[in-house]
Amino acid sequence: MSTTIVANRFRFLLTQRLIHFGTDVFRMILMGPAFVFDRVIHRGYADVTAGELPTANGYTVGGVILTSVAITENNVAHRTEITWGNATWTASGAGITARGAIIYNDTLVTAPHIRPIVQYIDFGGNQTAGAGGTFTVASPATFIG
């Protein structure tokens, strides 16, 4: 079972109206087995690159662009829900093994808010797709409440 942790910087940038879901580009990257997310110190993409998977076996550093963003108001759970389409990689060679994924905004590049992290998705353990398989993060969601 996966859990999500929304980054503190993302919440701040929402209040500053610096995140624009209709026009901004959001990407997902995969994190290696030893990565541990910290919502305070991991503010932007540059803060987590050491833990990102290297370019190999069907994965490319920088991740994939997320599409099909949808924003809904959930009055039962008292939160706003942001969802994207699936993020998918086709594994090759030794396959792809990841512990989690990060969604970041690839449009906002003005200091000090350079490529801010939206959230970390902890897979709850290493997940692997063998060569020829598909590594998919299905319908990633961000909950703000």
Side-chain angles (χ1 to χ4, degrees):
M1 173 171 213
S2 67
T3 58
T4 61
I5 303 168
V6 176
N8 287 356
R9 171 54 50 111
F10 174 67
R11 292 175 191 265
F12 172 76
L13 294 173
L14 282 176
T15 66
Q16 301 299 303
R17 298 186 332 199
L18 294 173
I19 302 287
H20 306 284
F21 290 100
T23 57
D24 287 3
V25 173
F26 294 88
R27 297 179 79 82
M28 179 179 284
I29 59 174
L30 296 177
M31 307 310 291
F35 181 76
V36 177
F37 183 70
D38 184 315
R39 71 173 61 195
V40 176
I41 63 171
H42 294 142
R43 299 168 79 145
Y45 175 63
D47 298 328
V48 298
T49 56
E52 182 180 6
L53 294 181
T55 296
N57 303 320
Y59 180 80
T60 302
V61 167
V64 295
I65 294 174
L66 295 173
T67 60
S68 304
V69 65
I71 302 169
T72 56
E73 179 181 14
N74 183 329
N75 288 316
V76 175
H78 309 290
R79 64 187 184 198
T80 299
E81 300 175 355
I82 306 154
T83 57
W84 288 272
N86 296 349
T88 303
W89 296 265
T90 300
S92 63
I96 297 172
T97 298
R99 171 85 170 94
I102 285 180
I103 296 173
Y104 70 96
N105 180 310
D106 198 32
T107 301
L108 185 56
V109 293
T110 305
H113 315 299
I114 300 173
R115 293 184 174 85
I117 292 171
V118 172
Q119 76 176 31
Y120 175 65
I121 303 166
D122 185 334
F123 299 151
N126 291 338
Q127 300 297 312
T128 300
T134 303
F135 195 106
T136 300
V137 180
S139 302
T142 303
F143 305 114
I144 304 166

